[in-house]
Amino acid sequence: MKVTSWRKLDNIWKEIILLSIKVQEENIEHSKVISLLQNTQSASETYTKLFEENLVINDWPDFTFFNRLLPLEKIFACYLPIEGIDPIIYFPLTKIAHFEGTEVFDLDPLILTSSLQELYLDNTYVDDLVQVMNLPLKKLSLKGLNIEQSQLETVLLRQPNCEIIA
């Protein structure tokens, strides 16, 4: 990611990225982060409650910030007011993505996440899994979704070790 790409992101995605970086660096338990996101429905409030400091978004972050982005493996965007996941294209090494309780419906950007192992889509608007069928998923959570049985079978056929939670 470049500074110009960072400046183009919506603030909500900047907050998601900053929260995800700090959670990963501090090794915070996933369930605690998800619970706070569900209760606050705000990445900045969750950040403040977890780390007892305000979430500061720099329009022109320094270069050490971008080095912190490279190893980002977990994205925590659940229960936040997002409709699209396009910014995930900047993080092809993401292994875990939480999009529960969002208005996400299009999974096209996930095609570029070649390392994605866990994907949580509970209570979203997703109805098509074609974009994720070839990913190396080990866990796919689809609670509250209406996905065709044939698509679930195709995911399992291509990824036999994938645990589907429906």
Side-chain angles (χ1 to χ4, degrees):
M1 175 180 279
K2 300 176 185 175
V3 173
T4 53
S5 302
W6 175 257
R7 295 196 69 204
K8 291 177 186 175
L9 291 176
D10 293 334
N11 272 352
I12 185 70
W13 269 101
K14 290 177 184 176
E15 291 176 5
I16 289 167
I17 292 164
L18 291 170
L19 173 66
S20 298
I21 290 171
K22 187 79 169 181
V23 165
Q24 184 171 306
E25 289 176 345
E26 299 292 324
N27 203 20
I28 304 294
E29 188 177 318
H30 291 205
S31 60
K32 184 176 183 179
V33 178
I34 293 166
S35 176
L36 279 171
L37 283 169
Q38 186 173 16
N39 290 336
T40 64
Q41 297 188 356
S42 164
S44 59
E45 282 183 52
T46 298
Y47 187 98
T48 302
K49 288 182 179 191
L50 283 172
F51 306 111
E52 297 177 359
E53 60 185 79
N54 289 333
L55 178 65
V56 177
I57 299 173
N58 293 321
D59 226 20
W60 290 95
D62 61 22
F63 290 103
T64 59
F65 169 75
F66 293 102
N67 291 334
R68 293 170 64 203
L69 290 179
L70 293 176
L72 186 60
E73 295 181 347
K74 302 167 187 146
I75 300 285
F76 294 92
C78 49
Y79 305 106
L80 296 175
I82 60 169
E83 293 179 11
I85 57 173
D86 291 347
I88 202 160
I89 64 173
Y90 297 113
F91 306 101
L93 302 178
T94 300
K95 291 184 179 178
I96 300 171
H98 289 274
F99 298 119
E100 305 100 307
T102 64
E103 294 185 15
V104 169
F105 62 90
D106 180 21
L107 300 179
D108 283 343
L110 293 177
I111 292 172
L112 301 175
T113 56
S114 58
S115 299
L116 194 62
Q117 296 175 3
E118 296 182 23
L119 179 58
Y120 299 88
L121 298 169
D122 305 346
N123 301 310
T124 60
Y125 294 99
V126 172
D127 62 359
D128 187 7
L129 297 177
V130 171
Q131 299 88 343
V132 299
M133 286 182 182
N134 293 318
L135 296 177
L137 293 173
K138 294 181 180 173
K139 187 180 283 187
L140 178 60
S141 186
L142 304 166
K143 296 176 192 167
L145 300 185
N146 189 15
I147 304 291
E148 289 181 21
Q149 185 64 31
S150 62
Q151 288 197 7
L152 296 175
E153 290 168 359
T154 303
V155 169
L156 287 173
L157 183 64
R158 294 182 182 174
Q159 303 299 330
N161 295 326
C162 181
E163 173 188 359
I164 295 180
I165 303 165

